[in-house]
Amino acid sequence: MTVYGNFPGSRPRRLRTTPTMRRMVAETRLDAANLILPAFVREGVDAPVAISAMPGVQQHTLDTLRKAAVDAVSAGVSGIMLFGVPEDGKKDGRGTAGTDPDGILQVALRAVREEVGDDLVIMSDLCLDEYTDHGHCGVLTEDGRVDNDVTLERYAEMAQVQADAGAHVVGPSGMMDGQVGVIRDALDQTGHEDVSILAYTVKYSSAFYGPFREAVGSSLRGDRKTYQQDPANSRESMRELALDLEEGADMVMVKPAGPYLDVLAKVAESVDVPVAAYQISGEYSMIEAAAEKGWIDRDAAIMESLTGIRRAGAQMILTYWATEVAQRLARR
């Protein structure tokens, strides 16, 4: 045997020798408390409706939504983000169902709050896109553009009815300029000072939203490139971040997560508020589809993708696997 002095002098493999060793020296830990479950509730159905583009995810009835919330609590998940899917006939140009106290999202918020109380952080998507007949996140002008300031007035109304219905946190996702400040004022002026704002600070115009459109029954015509961010840009994310913090955001989010880990890392390094990332429908569906074909190890890919998001700096991760992963972590 030839001996080359002390070469190699350093052997990093010593810290990878056993599962217990690897666990002990792990730099990033994923915990159930990091996870938030996005959930869809559909009006006018008496049984859950499968979402074909998102195997394993469904549009809930109120009863199955209640059960999903209880299961999330039992697994140790921290939060649930609710999306309402109204009946098509209730959609209009102003998204009226989104501010109706008896609209599907408000009914769902009350149901979940009644079921789990404060054991789960109940979050509500604050956007008009599910409720408009054109599918955009705001009110349109006569020539078809999204009217930023008129839309803000609608967001203020949405914030109030969602808070009244029991939301602990509202999540404005429409990427309108000034939305966080307007929503904060609306909440404070109606006695909802304790309701937090999770700002969708960095939301890119992404091809990975495709399956979500089915999940919410989207009526979108055209695209959202005039208000969601250009995937080519990073610096403007920091500008959006500064504005949201100045306007009173309690938490900030990067969406999508996986394709924008560089942006997520920059945001996480720059703030002293909690940072979330949304592992969106396309990210979910790609892994599920590849696993279904036997091309990847499903469970390993899920854990690797979530660990990567956590490693990039997300304290909270919205993922459709939240309850499943939390249960898996509890068995470790």
Side-chain angles (χ1 to χ4, degrees), residues 127-164:
C127 195
L128 290 172
D129 60 321
E130 295 99 325
Y131 310 100
T132 55
D133 54 12
H134 47 72
H136 280 283
C137 297
V139 180
L140 301 185
T141 61
E142 290 185 2
D143 61 357
R145 295 178 298 107
V146 175
D147 189 320
N148 191 94
D149 296 358
V150 171
T151 298
L152 293 182
E153 296 174 9
R154 300 288 293 124
Y155 286 2
E157 296 176 49
M158 291 190 82
Q160 294 172 36
V161 297
Q162 290 178 3
D164 287 342

PDB file of all heavy atoms in Angstrom, residues 127-164:
ATOM      1  N   CYS A 127     -57.572  38.113  -2.949  1.00  0.00           N
ATOM      2  CA  CYS A 127     -57.429  38.448  -4.362  1.00  0.00           C
ATOM      3  C   CYS A 127     -58.782  38.262  -5.031  1.00  0.00           C
ATOM      4  O   CYS A 127     -59.624  37.502  -4.551  1.00  0.00           O
ATOM      5  CB  CYS A 127     -56.368  37.573  -5.022  1.00  0.00           C
ATOM      6  SG  CYS A 127     -55.819  38.192  -6.625  1.00  0.00           S
ATOM      7  N   LEU A 128     -58.964  38.929  -6.160  1.00  0.00           N
ATOM      8  CA  LEU A 128     -60.247  38.885  -6.848  1.00  0.00           C
ATOM      9  C   LEU A 128     -60.319  37.848  -7.959  1.00  0.00           C
ATOM     10  O   LEU A 128     -61.394  37.590  -8.506  1.00  0.00           O
ATOM     11  CB  LEU A 128     -60.563  40.263  -7.453  1.00  0.00           C
ATOM     12  CG  LEU A 128     -60.902  41.385  -6.470  1.00  0.00           C
ATOM     13  CD1 LEU A 128     -60.983  42.713  -7.210  1.00  0.00           C
ATOM     14  CD2 LEU A 128     -62.213  41.108  -5.750  1.00  0.00           C
ATOM     15  N   ASP A 129     -59.203  37.227  -8.299  1.00  0.00           N
ATOM     16  CA  ASP A 129     -59.173  36.435  -9.531  1.00  0.00           C
ATOM     17  C   ASP A 129     -60.148  35.267  -9.529  1.00  0.00           C
ATOM     18  O   ASP A 129     -60.700  34.902 -10.571  1.00  0.00           O
ATOM     19  CB  ASP A 129     -57.754  35.956  -9.839  1.00  0.00           C
ATOM     20  CG  ASP A 129     -57.162  35.085  -8.745  1.00  0.00           C
ATOM     21  OD1 ASP A 129     -57.386  35.378  -7.557  1.00  0.00           O
ATOM     22  OD2 ASP A 129     -56.461  34.121  -9.075  1.00  0.00           O
ATOM     23  N   GLU A 130     -60.375  34.651  -8.359  1.00  0.00           N
ATOM     24  CA  GLU A 130     -61.312  33.525  -8.325  1.00  0.00           C
ATOM     25  C   GLU A 130     -62.755  33.969  -8.558  1.00  0.00           C
ATOM     26  O   GLU A 130     -63.604  33.147  -8.902  1.00  0.00           O
ATOM     27  CB  GLU A 130     -61.256  32.793  -6.972  1.00  0.00           C
ATOM     28  CG  GLU A 130     -59.948  32.108  -6.668  1.00  0.00           C
ATOM     29  CD  GLU A 130     -59.049  32.924  -5.762  1.00  0.00           C
ATOM     30  OE1 GLU A 130     -59.073  34.170  -5.887  1.00  0.00           O
ATOM     31  OE2 GLU A 130     -58.341  32.341  -4.932  1.00  0.00           O
ATOM     32  N   TYR A 131     -63.027  35.261  -8.348  1.00  0.00           N
ATOM     33  CA  TYR A 131     -64.407  35.744  -8.316  1.00  0.00           C
ATOM     34  C   TYR A 131     -64.786  36.611  -9.511  1.00  0.00           C
ATOM     35  O   TYR A 131     -65.951  36.981  -9.653  1.00  0.00           O
ATOM     36  CB  TYR A 131     -64.626  36.536  -7.021  1.00  0.00           C
ATOM     37  CG  TYR A 131     -64.146  35.769  -5.816  1.00  0.00           C
ATOM     38  CD1 TYR A 131     -62.917  36.053  -5.231  1.00  0.00           C
ATOM     39  CD2 TYR A 131     -64.900  34.722  -5.288  1.00  0.00           C
ATOM     40  CE1 TYR A 131     -62.451  35.321  -4.152  1.00  0.00           C
ATOM     41  CE2 TYR A 131     -64.441  33.986  -4.209  1.00  0.00           C
ATOM     42  CZ  TYR A 131     -63.218  34.288  -3.651  1.00  0.00           C
ATOM     43  OH  TYR A 131     -62.767  33.551  -2.584  1.00  0.00           O
ATOM     44  N   THR A 132     -63.821  36.932 -10.377  1.00  0.00           N
ATOM     45  CA  THR A 132     -64.125  37.762 -11.542  1.00  0.00           C
ATOM     46  C   THR A 132     -64.403  36.903 -12.765  1.00  0.00           C
ATOM     47  O   THR A 132     -63.801  35.843 -12.947  1.00  0.00           O
ATOM     48  CB  THR A 132     -62.961  38.725 -11.855  1.00  0.00           C
ATOM     49  OG1 THR A 132     -61.743  37.977 -12.004  1.00  0.00           O
ATOM     50  CG2 THR A 132     -62.791  39.758 -10.752  1.00  0.00           C
ATOM     51  N   ASP A 133     -65.303  37.387 -13.620  1.00  0.00           N
ATOM     52  CA  ASP A 133     -65.639  36.621 -14.818  1.00  0.00           C
ATOM     53  C   ASP A 133     -64.563  36.719 -15.892  1.00  0.00           C
ATOM     54  O   ASP A 133     -64.584  35.954 -16.864  1.00  0.00           O
ATOM     55  CB  ASP A 133     -66.998  37.047 -15.374  1.00  0.00           C
ATOM     56  CG  ASP A 133     -67.111  38.547 -15.620  1.00  0.00           C
ATOM     57  OD1 ASP A 133     -66.070  39.259 -15.587  1.00  0.00           O
ATOM     58  OD2 ASP A 133     -68.244  39.021 -15.850  1.00  0.00           O
ATOM     59  N   HIS A 134     -63.607  37.625 -15.709  1.00  0.00           N
ATOM     60  CA  HIS A 134     -62.482  37.742 -16.635  1.00  0.00           C
ATOM     61  C   HIS A 134     -61.221  37.083 -16.082  1.00  0.00           C
ATOM     62  O   HIS A 134     -60.227  36.931 -16.784  1.00  0.00           O
ATOM     63  CB  HIS A 134     -62.200  39.206 -16.973  1.00  0.00           C
ATOM     64  CG  HIS A 134     -62.159  40.110 -15.773  1.00  0.00           C
ATOM     65  ND1 HIS A 134     -61.123  40.084 -14.866  1.00  0.00           N
ATOM     66  CD2 HIS A 134     -63.041  41.032 -15.325  1.00  0.00           C
ATOM     67  CE1 HIS A 134     -61.375  40.978 -13.910  1.00  0.00           C
ATOM     68  NE2 HIS A 134     -62.522  41.572 -14.157  1.00  0.00           N
ATOM     69  N   GLY A 135     -61.239  36.707 -14.802  1.00  0.00           N
ATOM     70  CA  GLY A 135     -60.142  35.965 -14.213  1.00  0.00           C
ATOM     71  C   GLY A 135     -58.939  36.778 -13.789  1.00  0.00           C
ATOM     72  O   GLY A 135     -57.942  36.200 -13.330  1.00  0.00           O
ATOM     73  N   HIS A 136     -59.015  38.101 -13.913  1.00  0.00           N
ATOM     74  CA  HIS A 136     -57.889  38.921 -13.477  1.00  0.00           C
ATOM     75  C   HIS A 136     -58.008  39.247 -11.995  1.00  0.00           C
ATOM     76  O   HIS A 136     -59.063  39.092 -11.371  1.00  0.00           O
ATOM     77  CB  HIS A 136     -57.797  40.194 -14.315  1.00  0.00           C
ATOM     78  CG  HIS A 136     -57.142  39.971 -15.640  1.00  0.00           C
ATOM     79  ND1 HIS A 136     -55.779  39.839 -15.767  1.00  0.00           N
ATOM     80  CD2 HIS A 136     -57.667  39.838 -16.879  1.00  0.00           C
ATOM     81  CE1 HIS A 136     -55.478  39.637 -17.036  1.00  0.00           C
ATOM     82  NE2 HIS A 136     -56.605  39.628 -17.740  1.00  0.00           N
ATOM     83  N   CYS A 137     -56.905  39.733 -11.442  1.00  0.00           N
ATOM     84  CA  CYS A 137     -56.818  39.966  -9.997  1.00  0.00           C
ATOM     85  C   CYS A 137     -57.375  41.319  -9.567  1.00  0.00           C
ATOM     86  O   CYS A 137     -57.179  41.733  -8.429  1.00  0.00           O
ATOM     87  CB  CYS A 137     -55.361  39.848  -9.544  1.00  0.00           C
ATOM     88  SG  CYS A 137     -54.660  38.205  -9.793  1.00  0.00           S
ATOM     89  N   GLY A 138     -58.034  41.997 -10.482  1.00  0.00           N
ATOM     90  CA  GLY A 138     -58.578  43.303 -10.155  1.00  0.00           C
ATOM     91  C   GLY A 138     -59.706  43.699 -11.075  1.00  0.00           C
ATOM     92  O   GLY A 138     -60.137  42.926 -11.936  1.00  0.00           O
ATOM     93  N   VAL A 139     -60.175  44.915 -10.880  1.00  0.00           N
ATOM     94  CA  VAL A 139     -61.247  45.481 -11.689  1.00  0.00           C
ATOM     95  C   VAL A 139     -60.636  46.040 -12.976  1.00  0.00           C
ATOM     96  O   VAL A 139     -59.590  46.692 -12.938  1.00  0.00           O
ATOM     97  CB  VAL A 139     -61.973  46.593 -10.918  1.00  0.00           C
ATOM     98  CG1 VAL A 139     -63.097  47.200 -11.759  1.00  0.00           C
ATOM     99  CG2 VAL A 139     -62.524  46.045  -9.596  1.00  0.00           C
ATOM    100  N   LEU A 140     -61.291  45.799 -14.103  1.00  0.00           N
ATOM    101  CA  LEU A 140     -60.750  46.222 -15.376  1.00  0.00           C
ATOM    102  C   LEU A 140     -61.294  47.589 -15.794  1.00  0.00           C
ATOM    103  O   LEU A 140     -62.434  47.954 -15.486  1.00  0.00           O
ATOM    104  CB  LEU A 140     -61.079  45.208 -16.470  1.00  0.00           C
ATOM    105  CG  LEU A 140     -60.587  43.769 -16.276  1.00  0.00           C
ATOM    106  CD1 LEU A 140     -60.910  42.943 -17.515  1.00  0.00           C
ATOM    107  CD2 LEU A 140     -59.091  43.723 -15.960  1.00  0.00           C
ATOM    108  N   THR A 141     -60.456  48.334 -16.517  1.00  0.00           N
ATOM    109  CA  THR A 141     -60.900  49.563 -17.162  1.00  0.00           C
ATOM    110  C   THR A 141     -61.659  49.197 -18.436  1.00  0.00           C
ATOM    111  O   THR A 141     -61.710  48.037 -18.844  1.00  0.00           O
ATOM    112  CB  THR A 141     -59.699  50.448 -17.521  1.00  0.00           C
ATOM    113  OG1 THR A 141     -58.862  49.723 -18.452  1.00  0.00           O
ATOM    114  CG2 THR A 141     -58.876  50.784 -16.278  1.00  0.00           C
ATOM    115  N   GLU A 142     -62.237  50.196 -19.074  1.00  0.00           N
ATOM    116  CA  GLU A 142     -62.998  49.933 -20.296  1.00  0.00           C
ATOM    117  C   GLU A 142     -62.144  49.330 -21.394  1.00  0.00           C
ATOM    118  O   GLU A 142     -62.644  48.582 -22.241  1.00  0.00           O
ATOM    119  CB  GLU A 142     -63.656  51.228 -20.790  1.00  0.00           C
ATOM    120  CG  GLU A 142     -64.786  51.720 -19.888  1.00  0.00           C
ATOM    121  CD  GLU A 142     -65.489  52.919 -20.478  1.00  0.00           C
ATOM    122  OE1 GLU A 142     -65.117  53.331 -21.605  1.00  0.00           O
ATOM    123  OE2 GLU A 142     -66.407  53.448 -19.821  1.00  0.00           O
ATOM    124  N   ASP A 143     -60.845  49.658 -21.390  1.00  0.00           N
ATOM    125  CA  ASP A 143     -59.980  49.104 -22.432  1.00  0.00           C
ATOM    126  C   ASP A 143     -59.277  47.822 -21.994  1.00  0.00           C
ATOM    127  O   ASP A 143     -58.346  47.356 -22.649  1.00  0.00           O
ATOM    128  CB  ASP A 143     -58.957  50.145 -22.900  1.00  0.00           C
ATOM    129  CG  ASP A 143     -58.040  50.625 -21.795  1.00  0.00           C
ATOM    130  OD1 ASP A 143     -58.228  50.200 -20.628  1.00  0.00           O
ATOM    131  OD2 ASP A 143     -57.122  51.428 -22.065  1.00  0.00           O
ATOM    132  N   GLY A 144     -59.708  47.226 -20.870  1.00  0.00           N
ATOM    133  CA  GLY A 144     -59.235  45.908 -20.484  1.00  0.00           C
ATOM    134  C   GLY A 144     -58.002  45.852 -19.611  1.00  0.00           C
ATOM    135  O   GLY A 144     -57.464  44.773 -19.367  1.00  0.00           O
ATOM    136  N   ARG A 145     -57.536  46.992 -19.122  1.00  0.00           N
ATOM    137  CA  ARG A 145     -56.393  46.998 -18.210  1.00  0.00           C
ATOM    138  C   ARG A 145     -56.884  46.861 -16.775  1.00  0.00           C
ATOM    139  O   ARG A 145     -57.996  47.262 -16.447  1.00  0.00           O
ATOM    140  CB  ARG A 145     -55.587  48.294 -18.354  1.00  0.00           C
ATOM    141  CG  ARG A 145     -54.919  48.485 -19.704  1.00  0.00           C
ATOM    142  CD  ARG A 145     -54.170  49.816 -19.783  1.00  0.00           C
ATOM    143  NE  ARG A 145     -55.070  50.952 -19.623  1.00  0.00           N
ATOM    144  CZ  ARG A 145     -55.138  51.711 -18.531  1.00  0.00           C
ATOM    145  NH1 ARG A 145     -54.368  51.459 -17.470  1.00  0.00           N
ATOM    146  NH2 ARG A 145     -55.983  52.726 -18.474  1.00  0.00           N
ATOM    147  N   VAL A 146     -56.036  46.309 -15.904  1.00  0.00           N
ATOM    148  CA  VAL A 146     -56.387  46.232 -14.486  1.00  0.00           C
ATOM    149  C   VAL A 146     -56.185  47.606 -13.853  1.00  0.00           C
ATOM    150  O   VAL A 146     -55.092  48.178 -13.910  1.00  0.00           O
ATOM    151  CB  VAL A 146     -55.542  45.172 -13.757  1.00  0.00           C
ATOM    152  CG1 VAL A 146     -55.840  45.188 -12.263  1.00  0.00           C
ATOM    153  CG2 VAL A 146     -55.812  43.789 -14.321  1.00  0.00           C
ATOM    154  N   ASP A 147     -57.246  48.139 -13.280  1.00  0.00           N
ATOM    155  CA  ASP A 147     -57.214  49.454 -12.638  1.00  0.00           C
ATOM    156  C   ASP A 147     -56.678  49.295 -11.220  1.00  0.00           C
ATOM    157  O   ASP A 147     -57.378  48.800 -10.330  1.00  0.00           O
ATOM    158  CB  ASP A 147     -58.617  50.061 -12.622  1.00  0.00           C
ATOM    159  CG  ASP A 147     -58.634  51.511 -12.173  1.00  0.00           C
ATOM    160  OD1 ASP A 147     -57.888  51.845 -11.236  1.00  0.00           O
ATOM    161  OD2 ASP A 147     -59.401  52.300 -12.754  1.00  0.00           O
ATOM    162  N   ASN A 148     -55.444  49.701 -11.021  1.00  0.00           N
ATOM    163  CA  ASN A 148     -54.765  49.476  -9.741  1.00  0.00           C
ATOM    164  C   ASN A 148     -55.537  50.076  -8.566  1.00  0.00           C
ATOM    165  O   ASN A 148     -55.836  49.390  -7.576  1.00  0.00           O
ATOM    166  CB  ASN A 148     -53.365  50.087  -9.795  1.00  0.00           C
ATOM    167  CG  ASN A 148     -52.484  49.692  -8.625  1.00  0.00           C
ATOM    168  OD1 ASN A 148     -51.729  48.737  -8.700  1.00  0.00           O
ATOM    169  ND2 ASN A 148     -52.573  50.411  -7.515  1.00  0.00           N
ATOM    170  N   ASP A 149     -55.921  51.352  -8.657  1.00  0.00           N
ATOM    171  CA  ASP A 149     -56.448  52.044  -7.486  1.00  0.00           C
ATOM    172  C   ASP A 149     -57.900  51.666  -7.187  1.00  0.00           C
ATOM    173  O   ASP A 149     -58.292  51.586  -6.014  1.00  0.00           O
ATOM    174  CB  ASP A 149     -56.300  53.554  -7.659  1.00  0.00           C
ATOM    175  CG  ASP A 149     -54.829  53.962  -7.719  1.00  0.00           C
ATOM    176  OD1 ASP A 149     -53.955  53.080  -7.587  1.00  0.00           O
ATOM    177  OD2 ASP A 149     -54.538  55.156  -7.928  1.00  0.00           O
ATOM    178  N   VAL A 150     -58.676  51.412  -8.217  1.00  0.00           N
ATOM    179  CA  VAL A 150     -60.030  50.905  -7.984  1.00  0.00           C
ATOM    180  C   VAL A 150     -59.954  49.511  -7.359  1.00  0.00           C
ATOM    181  O   VAL A 150     -60.733  49.170  -6.457  1.00  0.00           O
ATOM    182  CB  VAL A 150     -60.833  50.873  -9.298  1.00  0.00           C
ATOM    183  CG1 VAL A 150     -62.160  50.141  -9.103  1.00  0.00           C
ATOM    184  CG2 VAL A 150     -61.087  52.292  -9.801  1.00  0.00           C
ATOM    185  N   THR A 151     -59.006  48.725  -7.800  1.00  0.00           N
ATOM    186  CA  THR A 151     -58.819  47.385  -7.237  1.00  0.00           C
ATOM    187  C   THR A 151     -58.451  47.459  -5.755  1.00  0.00           C
ATOM    188  O   THR A 151     -58.906  46.631  -4.951  1.00  0.00           O
ATOM    189  CB  THR A 151     -57.745  46.623  -8.023  1.00  0.00           C
ATOM    190  OG1 THR A 151     -58.175  46.461  -9.379  1.00  0.00           O
ATOM    191  CG2 THR A 151     -57.474  45.261  -7.420  1.00  0.00           C
ATOM    192  N   LEU A 152     -57.644  48.438  -5.383  1.00  0.00           N
ATOM    193  CA  LEU A 152     -57.278  48.579  -3.973  1.00  0.00           C
ATOM    194  C   LEU A 152     -58.513  48.793  -3.091  1.00  0.00           C
ATOM    195  O   LEU A 152     -58.563  48.295  -1.960  1.00  0.00           O
ATOM    196  CB  LEU A 152     -56.303  49.747  -3.791  1.00  0.00           C
ATOM    197  CG  LEU A 152     -54.905  49.581  -4.403  1.00  0.00           C
ATOM    198  CD1 LEU A 152     -54.050  50.806  -4.099  1.00  0.00           C
ATOM    199  CD2 LEU A 152     -54.226  48.315  -3.895  1.00  0.00           C
ATOM    200  N   GLU A 153     -59.489  49.521  -3.598  1.00  0.00           N
ATOM    201  CA  GLU A 153     -60.716  49.723  -2.835  1.00  0.00           C
ATOM    202  C   GLU A 153     -61.424  48.386  -2.600  1.00  0.00           C
ATOM    203  O   GLU A 153     -61.960  48.127  -1.517  1.00  0.00           O
ATOM    204  CB  GLU A 153     -61.645  50.681  -3.581  1.00  0.00           C
ATOM    205  CG  GLU A 153     -61.092  52.090  -3.740  1.00  0.00           C
ATOM    206  CD  GLU A 153     -61.984  52.966  -4.608  1.00  0.00           C
ATOM    207  OE1 GLU A 153     -63.121  52.529  -4.942  1.00  0.00           O
ATOM    208  OE2 GLU A 153     -61.569  54.085  -4.951  1.00  0.00           O
ATOM    209  N   ARG A 154     -61.399  47.525  -3.598  1.00  0.00           N
ATOM    210  CA  ARG A 154     -62.015  46.206  -3.456  1.00  0.00           C
ATOM    211  C   ARG A 154     -61.220  45.347  -2.456  1.00  0.00           C
ATOM    212  O   ARG A 154     -61.803  44.602  -1.668  1.00  0.00           O
ATOM    213  CB  ARG A 154     -62.066  45.503  -4.819  1.00  0.00           C
ATOM    214  CG  ARG A 154     -62.869  46.240  -5.870  1.00  0.00           C
ATOM    215  CD  ARG A 154     -64.368  46.181  -5.588  1.00  0.00           C
ATOM    216  NE  ARG A 154     -64.845  44.815  -5.727  1.00  0.00           N
ATOM    217  CZ  ARG A 154     -65.500  44.145  -4.763  1.00  0.00           C
ATOM    218  NH1 ARG A 154     -65.758  44.725  -3.616  1.00  0.00           N
ATOM    219  NH2 ARG A 154     -65.898  42.908  -4.972  1.00  0.00           N
ATOM    220  N   TYR A 155     -59.885  45.470  -2.492  1.00  0.00           N
ATOM    221  CA  TYR A 155     -59.056  44.711  -1.555  1.00  0.00           C
ATOM    222  C   TYR A 155     -59.340  45.134  -0.113  1.00  0.00           C
ATOM    223  O   TYR A 155     -59.329  44.300   0.800  1.00  0.00           O
ATOM    224  CB  TYR A 155     -57.575  44.912  -1.868  1.00  0.00           C
ATOM    225  CG  TYR A 155     -57.069  44.181  -3.090  1.00  0.00           C
ATOM    226  CD1 TYR A 155     -57.911  43.421  -3.903  1.00  0.00           C
ATOM    227  CD2 TYR A 155     -55.721  44.239  -3.441  1.00  0.00           C
ATOM    228  CE1 TYR A 155     -57.434  42.758  -5.017  1.00  0.00           C
ATOM    229  CE2 TYR A 155     -55.230  43.570  -4.554  1.00  0.00           C
ATOM    230  CZ  TYR A 155     -56.087  42.836  -5.348  1.00  0.00           C
ATOM    231  OH  TYR A 155     -55.603  42.181  -6.448  1.00  0.00           O
ATOM    232  N   ALA A 156     -59.555  46.428   0.094  1.00  0.00           N
ATOM    233  CA  ALA A 156     -59.874  46.905   1.444  1.00  0.00           C
ATOM    234  C   ALA A 156     -61.158  46.252   1.944  1.00  0.00           C
ATOM    235  O   ALA A 156     -61.252  45.827   3.107  1.00  0.00           O
ATOM    236  CB  ALA A 156     -60.008  48.422   1.444  1.00  0.00           C
ATOM    237  N   GLU A 157     -62.151  46.135   1.066  1.00  0.00           N
ATOM    238  CA  GLU A 157     -63.402  45.469   1.443  1.00  0.00           C
ATOM    239  C   GLU A 157     -63.169  43.994   1.742  1.00  0.00           C
ATOM    240  O   GLU A 157     -63.728  43.440   2.700  1.00  0.00           O
ATOM    241  CB  GLU A 157     -64.426  45.614   0.319  1.00  0.00           C
ATOM    242  CG  GLU A 157     -64.870  47.037   0.024  1.00  0.00           C
ATOM    243  CD  GLU A 157     -65.810  47.090  -1.174  1.00  0.00           C
ATOM    244  OE1 GLU A 157     -66.784  46.299  -1.201  1.00  0.00           O
ATOM    245  OE2 GLU A 157     -65.571  47.891  -2.096  1.00  0.00           O
ATOM    246  N   MET A 158     -62.359  43.348   0.905  1.00  0.00           N
ATOM    247  CA  MET A 158     -62.079  41.925   1.111  1.00  0.00           C
ATOM    248  C   MET A 158     -61.406  41.688   2.452  1.00  0.00           C
ATOM    249  O   MET A 158     -61.733  40.735   3.172  1.00  0.00           O
ATOM    250  CB  MET A 158     -61.184  41.387  -0.008  1.00  0.00           C
ATOM    251  CG  MET A 158     -61.825  41.304  -1.365  1.00  0.00           C
ATOM    252  SD  MET A 158     -60.794  40.399  -2.555  1.00  0.00           S
ATOM    253  CE  MET A 158     -61.216  38.709  -2.127  1.00  0.00           C
ATOM    254  N   ALA A 159     -60.454  42.529   2.784  1.00  0.00           N
ATOM    255  CA  ALA A 159     -59.737  42.376   4.050  1.00  0.00           C
ATOM    256  C   ALA A 159     -60.698  42.420   5.225  1.00  0.00           C
ATOM    257  O   ALA A 159     -60.597  41.614   6.170  1.00  0.00           O
ATOM    258  CB  ALA A 159     -58.677  43.465   4.179  1.00  0.00           C
ATOM    259  N   GLN A 160     -61.639  43.340   5.181  1.00  0.00           N
ATOM    260  CA  GLN A 160     -62.586  43.478   6.283  1.00  0.00           C
ATOM    261  C   GLN A 160     -63.480  42.248   6.422  1.00  0.00           C
ATOM    262  O   GLN A 160     -63.663  41.732   7.533  1.00  0.00           O
ATOM    263  CB  GLN A 160     -63.442  44.729   6.071  1.00  0.00           C
ATOM    264  CG  GLN A 160     -62.662  46.031   6.156  1.00  0.00           C
ATOM    265  CD  GLN A 160     -63.490  47.239   5.750  1.00  0.00           C
ATOM    266  OE1 GLN A 160     -64.689  47.297   6.025  1.00  0.00           O
ATOM    267  NE2 GLN A 160     -62.868  48.187   5.079  1.00  0.00           N
ATOM    268  N   VAL A 161     -64.034  41.761   5.306  1.00  0.00           N
ATOM    269  CA  VAL A 161     -64.953  40.616   5.429  1.00  0.00           C
ATOM    270  C   VAL A 161     -64.197  39.341   5.790  1.00  0.00           C
ATOM    271  O   VAL A 161     -64.732  38.486   6.516  1.00  0.00           O
ATOM    272  CB  VAL A 161     -65.800  40.406   4.150  1.00  0.00           C
ATOM    273  CG1 VAL A 161     -66.700  41.603   3.897  1.00  0.00           C
ATOM    274  CG2 VAL A 161     -64.949  40.097   2.942  1.00  0.00           C
ATOM    275  N   GLN A 162     -62.965  39.197   5.327  1.00  0.00           N
ATOM    276  CA  GLN A 162     -62.189  38.017   5.687  1.00  0.00           C
ATOM    277  C   GLN A 162     -61.812  38.043   7.166  1.00  0.00           C
ATOM    278  O   GLN A 162     -61.862  37.010   7.847  1.00  0.00           O
ATOM    279  CB  GLN A 162     -60.953  37.912   4.804  1.00  0.00           C
ATOM    280  CG  GLN A 162     -61.279  37.570   3.357  1.00  0.00           C
ATOM    281  CD  GLN A 162     -60.061  37.511   2.461  1.00  0.00           C
ATOM    282  OE1 GLN A 162     -58.924  37.682   2.908  1.00  0.00           O
ATOM    283  NE2 GLN A 162     -60.281  37.250   1.173  1.00  0.00           N
ATOM    284  N   ALA A 163     -61.443  39.210   7.656  1.00  0.00           N
ATOM    285  CA  ALA A 163     -61.129  39.333   9.082  1.00  0.00           C
ATOM    286  C   ALA A 163     -62.377  39.095   9.930  1.00  0.00           C
ATOM    287  O   ALA A 163     -62.327  38.410  10.954  1.00  0.00           O
ATOM    288  CB  ALA A 163     -60.531  40.708   9.365  1.00  0.00           C
ATOM    289  N   ASP A 164     -63.507  39.655   9.504  1.00  0.00           N
ATOM    290  CA  ASP A 164     -64.759  39.427  10.223  1.00  0.00           C
ATOM    291  C   ASP A 164     -65.095  37.942  10.282  1.00  0.00           C
ATOM    292  O   ASP A 164     -65.675  37.457  11.259  1.00  0.00           O
ATOM    293  CB  ASP A 164     -65.914  40.171   9.537  1.00  0.00           C
ATOM    294  CG  ASP A 164     -65.863  41.677   9.741  1.00  0.00           C
ATOM    295  OD1 ASP A 164     -65.161  42.140  10.662  1.00  0.00           O
ATOM    296  OD2 ASP A 164     -66.543  42.394   8.970  1.00  0.00           O
TER     297      ASP A 164
END
